[in-house]
């Protein structure tokens, strides 16, 4: 594996998949395809005109979990290619496995894809599909494979089948049922469908080559008996297609041209081509057939993306559910304040390759910083407050200061922040005894209160424990920002503040990375035992504080994002905020604190 830390060239960069599509379009590989307006077999599609979509891709999640950042890469790739090449990307739920599929996941997945900025409306129709609607076709295709001598019912036990499959170095052995008469297989397959046989007592297998060097071609199972309730088809079926058989059929049935998947399916490609070719020979599918292309899945440092591990984090309550802002799920990232534009930029920036690699988490964070810097309005927040009293400012008085909402975007206007005698400032903006190069507040020094006056520190108070409780200063009345002559007094420091009488004291969650190691769970402990990814959880991945915020933030709406000046990007939490009482999550700091 290689580690990629430098930024690849800015998008839209070419990549091997784009090259393939460009070549296909040039050569008219898919120009003869017909599309009848909905998925279907060769006869159905022949009733349609030329497909208005130049290419068809698909995003095919199994509705058995929440989408994560890895899926975002696949979504941006598939939907992005369709958009860029005048095609359409199908939103397809791969719901052929009857267990563990729930409406909750279907809803969350469609919402996340839309949130990322994509949709499946094109050429006058919606391209939202459920693979379970193709069960009839899959069944008919299986009967055809039997009839054409390309599949048989095998009654070996699972154990016998495993042994006879052979190994990487040894060929497999033919099943004793492999050459049974076609009619016998057909009868048994129909009985399987009709519920006449027990779960696991027999399977339908493709008849290919038990000696193939590719184990996936050693007569793979294509249908199994499983009495299970399916969320869409109910109890209609007690046999279900295997994923490796179902997937190519789904692609072909939907007229997909470029079927893009992750590298672990590379060894399945010969079977993908084999089964589609057989069905085309039988007239069930039409040429040109879809082609599968593999790319490297996303691995992100400091993150785990495996569904099993994410489930474990939730079930062991190491996080507060799937949408915990520390989770790498898209619902979590959204609550964290990550922006869809940032994910699209990230997908462009990391590109697609054929080699597995680890992407540095900072690349994702930098993408978020970039889009948030451009879009987020600025606000003032004091996260670790200490009192600053302006002793020569009249008690009970206040005045307006004007702060621009965005330094590079005057069109976003400004807002009013009140100034009064008592302010909150950051604890770290005062030092009793300044270190070298410290230009902020210390006795005798002057700083500018950003958008306000220049003040001179006069004294401070401490409690019994030695903590500074109050800092005193005096302001220079002629130095107010934006007034003539404001710059007559030059100072090196510039600090932010909020008026204590007007501040909104809010709950703010300072989120950090969920894992403290770049490659969670990899490597060994000192005693030689394997490490577990749970050993690498960052114990300080969240700190909840009460911060003093400028009054305008009281009106922040859920999911509104801001830059808190000098701190980073924050978002009003979508779950825990009350009207007029928002809670804020830190999305990302202004600068990377993890760089070594
Ligand atoms: P599992 O196979 O464990 O159920 P999965 O993450 O592969 O999990 P799917 O629902 O099958 O889940 O994934 C949908 C699509 O997202 C697939 O096409 C898959 O290749 C792609 N995908 C999943 N994880 C990643 C990743 N880390 N990087 C890029 N693409 C991914
Ligand atoms: Mg998968």
């Amino acid at each position: 594996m290689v580690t990629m830390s430098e930024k690849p060239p800015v998008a839209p960069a070419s990549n091997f998949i784009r090259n393939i599509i460009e070549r296909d379009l040039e050569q008219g590989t898919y120009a003869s395809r017909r599309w009848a307006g909905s998925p279907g077999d060769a006869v159905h599609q022949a009733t349609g005109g030329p497909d208005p979509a130049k290419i068809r891709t698909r995003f095919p999640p199994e509705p058995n979990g929440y989408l994560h950042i890895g899926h975002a890469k696949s979504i941006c790739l598939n939907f992005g290619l369709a958009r860029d090449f005048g095609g359409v990307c199908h939103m397809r739920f791969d719901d052929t496995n009857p267990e563990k599929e729930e409406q909750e996941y279907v809803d969350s997945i469609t919402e996340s894809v839309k949130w990322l900025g994509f949709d499946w409306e094109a050429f006058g129709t919606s391209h939202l599909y459920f693979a379970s609607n193709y069960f009839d076709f899959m069944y008919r295709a299986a009967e055809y494979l039997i009839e054409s001598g390309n599949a048989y019912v095998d009654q070996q036990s699972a154990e016998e089948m495993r042994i006879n499959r052979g190994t990487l170095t040894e060929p497999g052995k033919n099943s004793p049922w492999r050459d049974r008469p076609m009619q016998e297989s057909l009868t048994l397959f129909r009985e399987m469908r009709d519920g006449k046989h027990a779960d696991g007592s027999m399977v339908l297998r493709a008849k290919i080559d038990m000696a193939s060097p590719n184990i996936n071609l050693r007569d793979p199972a294509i249908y199994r008996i499983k009495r299970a309730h399916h969320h869409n088809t109910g109890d209609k079926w007690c046999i279900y297609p295997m994923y490796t058989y179902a997937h190519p059929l789904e692609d072909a049935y939907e007229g997909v041209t470029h079927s893009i998947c992750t590298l672990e399916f590379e060894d399945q490609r010969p079977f993908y081509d084999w089964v589609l070719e057989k069905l085309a020979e039988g007239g069930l599918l039409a040429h040109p057939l879809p082609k599968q292309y593999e790319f490297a899945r996303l691995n992100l440092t400091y993150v785990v993306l495996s569904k099993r591990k994410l489930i474990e984090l939730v079930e062991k309550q190491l996080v507060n559910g799937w949408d915990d802002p520390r989770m790498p799920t898209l619902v979590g990232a959204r609550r964290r304040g990550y922006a869809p534009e940032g994910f699209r930029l990230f997908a462009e920036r990391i590109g697609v390759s054929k080699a597995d690699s680890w992407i540095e988490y900072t690349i994702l964070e930098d993408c978020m910083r970039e889009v948030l810097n451009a879009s987020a309005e600025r606000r003032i927040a004091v996260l670790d407050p200490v009192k600053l009293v302006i002793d020569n400012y009249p008690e009970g008085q206040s005045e307006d200061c004007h702060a621009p909402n965005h330094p590079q975007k005057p069109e976003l206007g400004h807002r009013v922040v009140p100034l009064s005698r008592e302010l909150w400032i950051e604890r770290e903006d005062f030092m009793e005894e300044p270190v070298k190069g410290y230009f902020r507040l210390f006795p005798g020094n002057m700083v500018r209160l950003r958008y306000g006056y220049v003040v001179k520190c006069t004294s401070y108070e401490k409690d019994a424990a030695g903590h500074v409780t109050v800092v005193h200063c005096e302001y220079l009345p002629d130095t107010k920002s934006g007034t003539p002559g404001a710059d007559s007094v030059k100072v090196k420091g510039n600090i932010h503040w909020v008026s204590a009488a007007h501040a909104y004291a809010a709950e703010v969650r300072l989120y950090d990375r969920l894992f403290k190691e770049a490659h969670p769970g990899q490597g060994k402990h000192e005693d030689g035992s394997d490490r577990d990814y749970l050993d690498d959880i960052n114990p300080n991945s969240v700190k909840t504080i009460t911060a003093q915020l400028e009054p305008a933030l009281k009106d922040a709406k859920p999911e509104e994002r801001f830059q808190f000046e000098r701190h980073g990007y924050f978002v009003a939490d979508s779950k825990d905020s009350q009207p007029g009482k928002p809670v804020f999550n830190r999305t990302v700091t202004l600068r990377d604190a993890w760089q070594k």
Side-chain angles (χ1 to χ4, degrees), residues 438-455:
Y438 188 84
F439 299 122
R440 289 168 275 167
L441 283 174
F442 53 87
N445 196 42
M446 292 197 290
V447 297
R448 175 169 295 282
L449 298 177
R450 187 173 276 202
Y451 316 121
Y453 294 94
V454 171
V455 296

Side-chain angles (χ1 to χ4, degrees), residues 60 62 71 243 262 264-265 297 307:
E62 215 177 309
H71 294 115
Y243 178 82
T262 43
E264 66 271 23
F265 292 100
R297 67 169 44 235
K307 219 173 262 176

Side-chain angles (χ1 to χ4, degrees), residues 396-414:
Q397 182 176 314
S398 73
E399 66 185 279
D400 292 345
C401 295
H402 298 271
N405 286 327
H406 196 290
Q408 284 88 44
K409 294 189 170 171
E411 68 274 18
L412 291 180
H414 68 267

